[in-house]
Amino acid sequence: MPIIPAAGGWSMLFGVGKLGYDSSSASDLVLRRGKIAATPMRNWGEQNSDQFVHFVFSNETTDRLTGIGERIERSLCR
């Protein structure tokens, strides 16, 4: 899956453009199907920002993060 780890902190960018989604559509699907909140990155950078969603894990327990990769994959890779 197209993931870009953050340079620091508890977050990551996920490249949804390679899966055929824009950031808003992907964020909606992940929330609706996977029950995971993600921030659409549209207009957050100079270029290509709409092909990424942002996940932040700073306040999550490891129990809540278990299986998150599979939930994201099921939400977007149908």
Side-chain angles (χ1 to χ4, degrees), residues 2 13 20 35 46 51 53 58 60 71:
L13 291 177
K35 307 298 183 217
E46 293 181 23
Q51 67 179 328
V53 295
S58 62
E60 299 298 334
R71 289 167 49 201

Side-chain angles (χ1 to χ4, degrees), residues 12-33:
M12 71 176 185
L13 291 177
F14 186 78
V16 298
K18 292 183 179 183
L19 299 174
Y21 297 104
D22 62 52
S23 62
S24 293
S25 298
S27 294
D28 289 342
L29 286 172
V30 171
L31 181 60
R32 194 169 68 244
R33 294 178 181 169

